[in-house]
Structures are given as C-alpha cells and as structure tokens.
Amino acid sequence: MDAPKTMTKPKGEAREAERAIDRELMQRVVKGDQTALEDLMKRWSRPVYSLALRILRNPQLAEEVSQDTFLKVWKHAGVFQEQRGAFSSWVLTMTHHGSIDALRRAKARGSQVTNTLDNVVAATLPSPRGGVSTWQRVKLEEALATLPEKQRQVVELAYFEGHTREEMAEIMGEPVGTVKTRLRDAVQKLAAVFRDPEEALSQAPGFQ
Amino acid sequence: MIHWLFHKLGLKSCPACETLVDYALDGLDSPQQGKVRQHLSDCPSCMEQVRDFMQVKEGLGLTAPESDVPTDFNAKVLSRLQKADPVCVRETSSSKSDRHLGGWPRFWMTLGPVFAVLSLTMTLVALGALLSHKNSAAPAQANELAAIGNALMSDPKAAHVQMVSAEAGQTASGSLVLCPGRREAFFKAANLSKCPQGRNYALWMKRGDKAERLARFSAEADGSSVYLLNLGSSWDGAMPAEFMVTQESGSGVGQTWMKGSLKL
C-alpha cells in the first residue's frame, strides 16, 4: 500500500498568506502610507516590469508603463476592493492594459485604448480565484507549450500583442469567427490547469 | 457542456463562450463590456466561466520571462508621486544599498527651500481666493454656527438629510440641514478625514439625470466638524432629491464619500 501523500504545507495556505500580505499593504496604501507602496513595489515590480517588457520589448517604455502602474495603484487604492479579487490580478491587468496601450501608440495604429478609472474598476470584476500559484504558473507554461501552433499563436496575438479579433483574422488570413473559436478553445484548454484535481486537493484545509 | 446545451436550446440568453473569453481578455469595447458585466451579475454559471478565463489571463501575465527591474525604480515612482501630490509626502526609509544621498532625498535637500517658498505663496493666494469665493465654506465660529444653525433647524420648512457612507467599510457619516429659499446649509460630518487625494470636498444635489454642485468645502484634519455651507443657489425645496458628498482634486470630481436622499 502506498504511503499517504504528505505535504509540508498546503499550497493554498501559502497563497492565502501572500494575499493577506498584499491585502494588509493595500489597506495601508489607502491611508496614504508610502512605505506600504514601497513594500508592494518590492513584491510586485519584477513581475510587472517583466510583463511590460515581454509585451513592449523596449526597456524604457516598459519602465514607464511599470511606473505608471504603481502610480495607479496609489491613486486608485480606494477603488480596489480586496474582496473582489487578488491584488496580483489587479496589478497585472493594469500592467497589461498600459502595455497594450503603449504598444498601440508606439505603432501609431491610431487605436484609442484608454486606461480610465472605469477600466481600473472593471479590471477587478469578477474576481478570479485567489491568484495564481507558482505551481499553476509552471503548469500553465507547460500547457502553453503543448497547444497546437495556431492556438498558441492566437493567444500570443490576443494577449501579448493586444490585437483586435479583426486584426488577428487579417494576420492569420482566416475569418474572424475561426479566430474567435480558436482562441476560445485555447483558453478553455489553459483553464483546465486551474481545475487540476491534485492542485484542488492540495488546497483543502488540513490536507496531509 | 451544460451551459452550451442550455444556450443552444434557447433556455438561457447567455453570451456565447467566445464573448466571455473576449470579455476576460479585454477584447470587447466598453458598451459590450457593460452588457456582459450586467449579465454576469445575474448568471453564476457565466461568472464561473469568466473567473476561469481571468485566472488564465493572470497566469499568462506571470509566464513572461523574469527581468531585473531598472535601478532606482522605487525612488523614481515615489518622486513622480510627490510631484503629483506633495500633500502626501512622508519620510521613507532609504535603501540600504545607497552609498550616497541620491534620488528623492537629494531632490528635496536641493530644491526643498524653493518649493517651501512657492508653496507658502500659493497657499496664501489660494486662501484669499477661497475666502472671497461665493461657494466657499469654512468651519464656522461657534456663535455664528449657533445662530444660523438654530434658525435653520427650527424652520418648519427645513429639510433634514441623513448622509451615510457611500462605500462599504467606510465610516463617514453626516447630517445636512437646508431650507427652501435660503442659501445656507448646515452640514455636520463625522469621520470625513483627509484622504490621500486631498481635503477638498463638494456637496452635490441630483434630481433624475441632472446633478448640480451646491457648495465646496475643505475637511478638517480630525475628520469631524460642522460646516456652514454657502450654496451657489438656494434650494427650491423640490423633492425627491439625492445629495452626495464627493471628494474633489485638481483632476476633477473624485470618489463619492457620502450620500443621502429626500423623498416625497
């Protein structure tokens, strides 16, 4: 008989502890505590900058967008509500918005993607579930690598390059409907990573 | 699968799955986003799907190869923050890796006195403008408050509006007294503390789609005070009417902190 599975610490518990730290820091930011903002930047400036650089492929622009993201964190701290979502999701969504906006401006396409307060609020609705763990990120990378080429391409075009569906159809030389269907299929496959039974079990309280 | 079946059988008016994916990945324009958001508030199954897709979106953000953040990143952000909102400047701990005074501490040491003189001058000018402004208000002296407040509250035509916090978790509250035909209003606020965006607030009245700013005032540091507001135009007594206290800054109207209403 196999020995029961044991884990030193349920993965869900570690993630919840991280969320609690972000939550506490944001409560202090709302009260105007700049050291809390500094602590948030120590925790999140690297993934924020990494995402911006991945999209923009320009260190100066990426730094500018990353700085803007944290200024928005400060400005809209009162709008963000932790019960609506994880800080990680909110800050990465704002980074993504800002990066795509900057990319479009840089390419002088004439698109008017605005990053208004409405978009900042919308970025929190609805809340995803408790952020993304390191394990899930690794699994997601694996899933991305195993997607069929065209599905991987639509994800790249949609998320990392910010193309509209019409632009994607033109780039790929296919109808818009086909592109949308392909993107739906790709995202549904990637979503399966977050429904992995092993991960779900590891989040159960007192799992050993 | 069940959701798809219900949709195909016309048992639900849910958006297509592709639309939910587009919503989660910011592929919809604002009107379409609004429609989907409205649907999500009533449809748990679509909400669950979108949550899945948004988790994918967050995960994608984290798959970007990690890069070192540029040097002095934190200091640059704080410097920009102080230029935008000098009222909120506080001491921050300098980095342990700093070997010399750099970044924003050097900025303040070299240009601090200049900014201090400029700030003082601008404060005096603004104070003068504020005192002469028709719609301005200030915490009134006790005897003036007593006289006007008594007159307002004892007037049989006076309307009393209880103001409650507009946001869950906030504790701001107040009571507003105004009288048809009078251009003063009596406003007592509790826990309307100075927020990071500043101390300036405004009282608004809304009827239907039309909103009118009645008065502006500055919150006191302790968050609780009594204000005698000089209204831009007297209240005509028509109801129903909604009243809001919003935070105001240089960039315009901000968050609503309190609200109350008068019904027929």
Side-chain angles (χ1 to χ4, degrees):
Chain A
M1 183 184 294
D2 290 335
K5 214 175 216 181
T6 58
M7 303 184 81
T8 53
K9 189 174 186 180
K11 290 169 186 156
E13 198 176 292
R15 192 160 74 229
E16 187 49 42
E18 290 300 310
R19 282 194 69 182
I21 294 171
D22 290 334
R23 198 162 44 231
E24 192 266 334
L25 289 171
M26 278 302 291
Q27 283 170 357
R28 286 166 50 198
V29 167
V30 168
K31 292 175 186 170
D33 185 348
Q34 287 191 4
T35 57
L37 182 67
E38 279 189 274
D39 288 341
L40 278 170
M41 287 194 284
K42 282 174 193 164
R43 289 166 63 77
W44 289 102
S45 59
R46 194 180 169 90
V48 162
Y49 178 74
S50 299
L51 175 58
L53 187 61
R54 169 68 175 82
I55 292 172
L56 291 162
R57 303 186 193 277
N58 179 312
Q60 270 179 314
L61 272 178
E63 185 181 355
E64 192 180 308
V65 165
S66 303
Q67 289 181 17
D68 288 348
T69 296
F70 286 104
L71 289 173
K72 281 174 199 150
V73 166
W74 178 264
K75 183 178 176 184
H76 301 301
V79 174
F80 172 75
Q81 293 175 32
E82 169 59 22
Q83 60 266 29
R84 283 176 159 179
F87 175 80
S88 56
S89 177
W90 186 52
V91 78
L92 288 173
T93 299
M94 283 199 291
T95 306
H96 184 251
H97 283 176
S99 301
I100 297 300
D101 191 16
L103 184 67
R104 289 176 177 176
R105 280 200 304 270
K107 288 181 179 178
R109 284 175 187 240
S111 300
Q112 293 298 318
V113 175
T114 58
N115 213 342
T116 63
L117 176 62
D118 284 343
N119 281 350
V120 170
V121 173
T124 69
L125 298 173
S127 64
R129 297 177 201 86
V132 173
S133 68
T134 305
W135 184 88
Q136 285 171 329
R137 182 179 57 79
V138 169
K139 285 292 183 184
L140 189 67
E141 285 171 350
E142 287 174 4
L144 262 173
T146 57
L147 281 179
E149 173 63 31
K150 290 202 171 181
Q151 286 187 2
R152 198 164 54 244
Q153 191 182 5
V154 293
V155 171
E156 172 78 25
L157 290 172
Y159 184 77
F160 290 105
E161 297 187 23
H163 288 289
T164 63
R165 305 302 173 251
E166 290 72 25
E167 288 169 348
M168 287 163 61
E170 196 180 320
I171 291 168
M172 300 182 78
E174 286 171 344
V176 173
T178 303
V179 164
K180 285 189 175 186
T181 302
R182 193 168 285 142
L183 183 62
R184 176 204 69 198
D185 292 343
V187 171
Q188 282 181 328
K189 279 185 193 170
L190 298 176
V193 164
F194 302 97
R195 293 194 290 268
D196 189 289
E198 182 183 339
E199 169 68 4
L201 193 60
S202 74
Q203 289 178 48
F207 173 76
Q208 279 194 340
Chain B
M1 176 66 179
I2 293 175
H3 180 270
W4 175 85
L5 189 61
F6 275 16
H7 180 69
K8 282 294 177 191
L9 292 174
L11 296 178
K12 278 199 165 202
S13 58
C14 299
C17 191
E18 290 84 346
T19 304
L20 297 180
V21 167
D22 281 346
Y23 174 80
L25 297 189
D26 308 314
L28 298 180
D29 59 30
S30 290
Q32 291 171 317
Q33 276 183 24
K35 282 183 191 167
V36 172
R37 204 174 303 133
Q38 198 170 8
H39 174 79
L40 292 178
S41 62
D42 290 327
C43 185
S45 64
C46 284
M47 178 77 93
E48 280 301 293
Q49 282 197 83
V50 170
R51 281 206 171 105
D52 284 347
F53 302 151
M54 289 186 77
Q55 204 158 18
V56 169
K57 183 176 79 170
E58 183 183 343
L60 287 172
L62 292 169
T63 61
E66 286 212 331
S67 303
D68 286 332
V69 181
T71 52
D72 294 334
F73 179 83
N74 289 10
K76 287 174 189 171
V77 172
L78 292 175
S79 174
R80 286 181 63 185
L81 190 67
Q82 287 155 15
K83 284 177 192 167
D85 190 4
V87 174
C88 293
V89 171
R90 286 199 178 103
E91 289 275 329
T92 62
S93 56
S94 31
S95 165
K96 285 181 185 173
S97 64
D98 283 350
R99 291 179 189 170
H100 61 276
L101 196 61
W104 74 266
R106 185 173 63 187
F107 172 83
W108 278 109
M109 286 197 62
T110 52
L111 293 175
V114 175
F115 278 106
V117 170
L118 277 174
S119 297
L120 184 63
T121 310
M122 287 168 67
T123 302
L124 289 171
V125 169
L127 195 61
L130 197 66
L131 287 173
S132 64
H133 197 283
K134 281 185 184 176
N135 289 341
S136 70
Q141 298 299 320
N143 50 358
E144 186 184 4
L145 269 177
I148 299 177
N150 285 339
L152 275 171
M153 284 189 279
S154 59
D155 192 315
K157 297 193 301 294
H160 295 246
V161 186
Q162 286 304 312
M163 306 292 282
V164 297
S165 176
E167 292 286 330
Q170 298 286 345
T171 56
S173 64
S175 56
L176 176 68
V177 182
L178 24 59
C179 207
R182 292 191 72 141
R183 295 188 68 170
E184 299 95 1
F186 192 77
F187 178 49
K188 186 175 176 184
N191 297 322
L192 187 65
S193 55
K194 179 174 89 75
C195 70
Q197 286 75 31
R199 297 171 52 200
N200 297 324
Y201 291 86
L203 174 69
W204 290 77
M205 180 177 67
K206 190 179 170 192
R207 284 199 203 115
D209 292 332
K210 198 175 167 191
E212 180 187 359
R213 179 162 43 212
L214 297 179
R216 286 192 172 98
F217 61 99
S218 291
E220 285 302 283
D222 67 355
S224 298
S225 194
V226 178
Y227 303 91
L228 184 67
L229 304 179
N230 292 315
L231 306 180
S233 55
S234 56
W235 177 56
D236 59 10
M239 289 187 279
E242 288 179 65
F243 295 89
M244 293 163 289
V245 171
T246 64
Q247 190 265 323
E248 295 210 325
S249 66
S251 54
V253 179
Q255 190 178 347
T256 300
W257 284 84
M258 286 192 229
K259 58 183 180 183
S261 60
L262 276 176
K263 297 187 169 66
L264 293 168

